[in-house]
Amino acid sequence: MDYEIIIAGGGMVGAALAGLLGQAGKKVAVLEATTPRTFVVSDPFDNRVSALSRASQRLLEQAGAWPEVLALRAAPYENMQVWDATGAGLIRFEAAELGEPDLGHIVENRVLQLALLATLTRYPSVDLLCPARLADFELSPQQITVKLADGRRLTAQLLIGADGAQSGVRRLAALPYEVLDYGQKAVVATVYTALPHEATAWQRFLPSGPVAFLPLPHPQACSVVWTLAADQADAVLLWSAERFNRELAQALDFRLGELISSEGRAAFPLRGLHAQSYLHERVALIGDAAHTIHPLAGQGVNLGFKDAHVLAELILANQTADLGSLRLLRRYERARRGDNELTQKLMEGFSLLFSNTLPPWQWLRNTGLSTVNQLPPLKYQLARRAMGL
Ligand SMILES: Cc1cc2nc3c(=O)[nH]c(=O)nc-3n(C[C@H](O)[C@H](O)[C@H](O)COP(=O)(O)OP(=O)(O)OC[C@H]3O[C@@H](n4cnc5c(N)ncnc54)[C@H](O)[C@@H]3O)c2cc1C
C-alpha cells in the first residue's frame, strides 16, 4: 500500500490531523485541491478568520504548527463582551480574572492553513499533494484506492474526508446528512475603527442577528461577522462604503466609534449540516465534511480540531489494527457525535433566543446575561468551557 492514511482536504482541519499523525511517523498523504495564496507580512487582512480556543491552540502546538502561526500573524484576545440590543443585558469575560494571558486567538484562515501545510514539510512520512483533487475511490477488502482528477491512483487503509461542507468524500460514500438552512447570511469584512479594540472580542445581539467585531493584530483593525436575513445581507453587499461603514458602526452601537474604512465585504450563506453517519468502510469524515454549525460563537473549526484530535489518538493507540475497520472507526464517531450535535443545537437555540422580539424572551435573555455576569463562579466555569479547558 502507498500510505496508511489518505486525507482528502488540506484545509485547517485536514492539515491539523496530518500534523498530529505526521509527528508520530504515520505514512500519510494529504490531497489539497487548491494551492493557497502565499503570505507576505504586508498583505491586507483576509476577511475569513477563526476565533481559536485554548484547546485548539494546544492541538496546534501538538501538531507542531503553533510557532509558525504566531510567526505569521495572530491576535490574542484578552476580553470578550456580549450584550443585547433590546435591553441592559451584558456579560463580560476578562482573561486576567481567570488568571490566563488571553481567552484565545483570532487567526486568518489562510494563515492557519499555510502554517499547518508548512509544518507538514518537516515530517518525512507525510506527502502533501497540492494541487490534487480526489475524484473517486474504490474499495476492496484490504484497501481503498483513491483516484485523483489528474488520473493518479493511491492506495491506503483509510480515507479521511476533511474536504469541507460540500464534501465529495461524503457524496461518493453515499453518507446521508441533514441540512437546515438558517435563512441567514454572514456578511464579513475587515474594518478600521476610530477607537482601539482593546484586545476585546465585541458581540452585540440584534433582532436581525448578532454582529461581532473580532480584534486583529492592529489596534484599530477588526474582522467583522454580521449575521442578517439572507435578503438583507444581499442588499448590504450593494451599499456604498459610506453607508456600510455608518450602519455597521451603528449596529455595534458605536462601541468602537465610527468606522474609518472597510474592505473585503462578502457574504456566506449559513446552514447547519450533520452527516447521519460519519463512517463508511475505510472512510471517515471530520470537520465541516461531517458537521457545520451557526458561527455565532465561533466554534466550527474548534469542533473540527476536536474530531482530528480524537481520531489521531485512536489511530496512534491502535498501531497494529486495520485502520479502515468500522469496528475501530465507530469509537471515533461515538466519541464525537454527541458534542458536535449538542453544540449545533445550542447555537441554533441561542440564535432563536436572541432574535426573538417578544417581551418575555427579551426579558429572559437580558436578565440571564446580567445575572450570569454577576455570578463569577458560574461565569468563569462557562468561560473555561468555551476555552476548552
Ligand atoms: C462567516 C463564518 C465565520 C466563522 N467563524 C468561525 C470562528 O470564528 N471560529 C471557528 O471555530 N469557526 C468559524 N467558522 C467555521 C469554520 O470556518 C469552518 O468550520 C472551517 O473552515 C472548517 O474547516 P475544514 O478544514 O473542515 O473545511 P474547509 O475549511 O472547507 O477546508 C476543506 C478543504 O478541502 C479542500 N477540498 C475540497 N474538496 C476537495 C477534493 N475533492 N480533493 C482535495 N481537496 C479538496 C478545499 O480546497 C479546502 O481547502 C466560521 C464560518 C463562517 C461561515
Side-chain angles (χ1 to χ4, degrees):
M1 248 178 275
D2 300 315
Y3 297 98
E4 289 173 277
I5 301 140
I6 296 174
I7 302 174
M12 297 181 283
V13 174
L17 175 63
L20 294 173
L21 296 173
Q23 53 87 34
K26 284 277 156 195
K27 200 153 167 40
V28 176
V30 180
L31 316 176
E32 172 49 50
T34 313
T35 311
R37 203 162 35 87
T38 49
F39 174 81
V40 277
V41 189
S42 56
D43 276 353
F45 297 114
D46 283 356
N47 60 9
R48 291 302 303 273
V49 307
S50 294
L52 298 182
S53 68
R54 183 61 56 77
S56 295
Q57 176 184 333
R58 285 187 184 152
L59 174 126
L60 294 164
E61 283 165 358
Q62 211 180 323
W66 189 244
E68 191 73 26
V69 173
L70 295 183
L72 293 177
R73 207 156 61 183
Y77 63 100
E78 294 163 15
N79 316 298
M80 183 157 85
Q81 184 159 315
V82 179
W83 72 105
D84 191 284
T86 65
L90 178 146
I91 191 162
R92 187 175 165 89
F93 299 99
E94 296 188 5
E97 286 179 17
L98 278 168
E100 295 286 341
D102 55 65
L103 297 174
H105 284 74
I106 309 296
V107 186
E108 293 152 80
N109 292 359
R110 177 173 61 110
V111 164
L112 186 48
Q113 185 192 17
L114 284 170
L116 279 159
L117 295 182
T119 306
L120 296 186
T121 60
R122 296 206 306 267
Y123 301 137
S125 64
V126 177
D127 285 342
L128 171 62
L129 284 70
C130 179
R133 175 175 290 280
L134 174 141
D136 202 356
F137 66 76
E138 208 170 74
L139 280 168
S140 62
Q142 276 80 34
Q143 64 181 36
I144 185 160
T145 304
V146 168
K147 301 176 191 174
L148 306 191
D150 62 12
R152 282 179 283 177
R153 295 165 81 94
L154 309 168
T155 54
Q157 289 178 42
L158 173 63
L159 168 66
I160 312 269
D163 48 348
Q166 310 294 330
S167 173
V169 173
R170 192 181 62 218
R171 177 176 41 79
L172 291 165
L175 291 171
Y177 57 94
E178 283 164 5
V179 67
L180 179 60
D181 189 335
Y182 298 138
Q184 293 177 317
K185 285 187 181 178
V187 175
V188 298
T190 303
V191 301
Y192 284 82
T193 54
L195 300 176
H197 53 58
E198 297 168 346
T200 301
W202 305 87
Q203 182 155 21
R204 183 173 186 233
F205 278 94
L206 296 124
S208 51
V211 61
F213 278 52
L214 306 172
L216 291 169
H218 176 291
Q220 282 158 281
C222 288
S223 185
V224 168
V225 183
W226 190 6
T227 304
L228 293 164
D231 54 345
Q232 269 179 300
D234 291 339
V236 165
L237 291 186
L238 302 174
W239 287 352
S240 66
E242 291 71 28
R243 179 167 181 201
F244 179 71
N245 295 349
R246 195 177 58 244
E247 302 231 9
L248 183 53
Q250 191 173 17
L252 198 74
D253 201 20
F254 299 101
R255 205 54 66 106
L256 297 178
E258 300 281 355
L259 298 197
I260 299 165
S261 64
S262 57
E263 59 200 28
R265 207 185 319 166
F268 296 90
L270 300 182
R271 290 189 193 97
L273 176 152
H274 206 166
Q276 285 164 13
S277 167
Y278 300 174
L279 310 176
H280 185 274
E281 198 75 45
R282 302 203 174 279
V283 176
L285 303 178
I286 61 170
D288 274 23
H291 45 76
T292 64
I293 63 169
H294 198 292
L296 67 82
Q299 287 299 319
V301 80
N302 292 296
L303 284 184
F305 286 147
K306 287 199 209 171
D307 294 349
H309 184 237
V310 167
L311 193 52
E313 298 260 290
L314 189 69
I315 289 171
L316 298 178
N318 290 276
Q319 298 281 0
T320 54
D322 175 358
L323 300 178
S325 85
L326 275 176
R327 219 175 127 202
L328 184 75
L329 295 174
R330 278 200 191 100
R331 284 158 63 188
Y332 153 67
E333 178 163 21
R334 270 202 300 273
R336 290 300 308 139
R337 172 172 289 283
D339 183 32
N340 290 332
E341 194 159 339
L342 179 68
T343 311
Q344 189 188 54
K345 298 289 173 233
L346 265 177
M347 295 310 123
E348 287 169 4
F350 280 136
S351 177
L352 284 176
L353 172 66
F354 279 92
S355 56
N356 199 312
T357 48
L358 290 176
W361 291 100
Q362 286 180 20
W363 176 85
L364 180 70
R365 62 182 183 248
N366 279 289
T367 311
L369 283 176
S370 300
T371 308
V372 176
N373 198 40
Q374 282 154 26
L375 290 173
L378 177 61
K379 182 165 94 163
Y380 290 112
Q381 204 179 333
L382 283 176
R384 289 191 163 275
R385 215 183 139 73
M387 291 165 78
L389 293 174

